[in-house]
Amino acid sequence: MNSYKTGLVSEFIARMYLRLHGCRILKKRYITGRNTGRAEIDIIARRGNLLLFVEVKYRPDITTGICAISRPQAARLRRSAETYIARTHWTGNARFDAIIVMPHKIRWIQGII
């Protein structure tokens, strides 16, 4: 399987994992606009009064998964999230999480960015 398909499968697994943990998926692969300097947010979910912006990574272990989210990418994700919050007039809490999909294991890291 190529990296694009692996990414799609990993995002599907992450969405199912979030649903099993009481989250409602609002958006998947959310892009604020092409050529805007903003990033694609893999999953936007809601759990009660908490909005979750989730980055999904498929890696062989947890350390490489965490290291795969660079500072410039984190800054782009923040700007995209701010745009989403402004467009939807969200007034609740928000958090950035990561889901690292590994062979035979899933790890949900809350508040990573």
Side-chain angles (χ1 to χ4, degrees):
M1 192 176 338
N2 65 31
S3 60
Y4 177 74
K5 288 182 182 177
T6 301
L8 291 178
V9 170
S10 297
E11 288 176 16
F12 175 78
I13 291 168
R15 287 193 308 272
M16 295 302 108
Y17 187 82
L18 288 169
R19 284 185 181 127
L20 287 172
H21 286 86
C23 297
R24 182 173 159 239
I25 307 301
L26 302 177
K27 298 278 183 187
K28 60 182 182 176
R29 307 191 81 176
Y30 175 78
I31 301 173
T32 54
R34 299 275 182 216
N35 303 317
T36 61
R38 303 204 189 296
E40 174 185 284
I41 299 173
D42 293 331
I43 301 170
I44 301 174
R46 182 177 177 183
R47 187 175 181 189
N49 194 35
L50 180 64
L51 196 60
L52 302 171
F53 297 97
V54 183
E55 180 66 15
V56 180
K57 296 289 184 188
Y58 179 85
R59 295 293 187 273
D61 59 69
I62 191 73
T63 305
T64 56
I66 292 170
C67 292
I69 303 172
S70 66
R71 286 182 191 254
Q73 181 184 16
R76 287 192 310 272
L77 287 168
R78 272 190 220 102
R79 287 192 303 269
S80 293
E82 289 167 357
T83 301
Y84 180 83
I85 288 170
R87 285 182 181 171
T88 60
H89 307 291
W90 178 256
T91 58
N93 297 320
R95 183 176 74 202
F96 285 94
D97 293 351
I99 293 184
I100 313 298
V101 179
M102 299 166 279
H104 311 292
K105 191 174 183 179
I106 298 171
R107 181 78 189 268
W108 182 4
I109 304 168
Q110 300 176 358
I112 194 166
I113 298 175

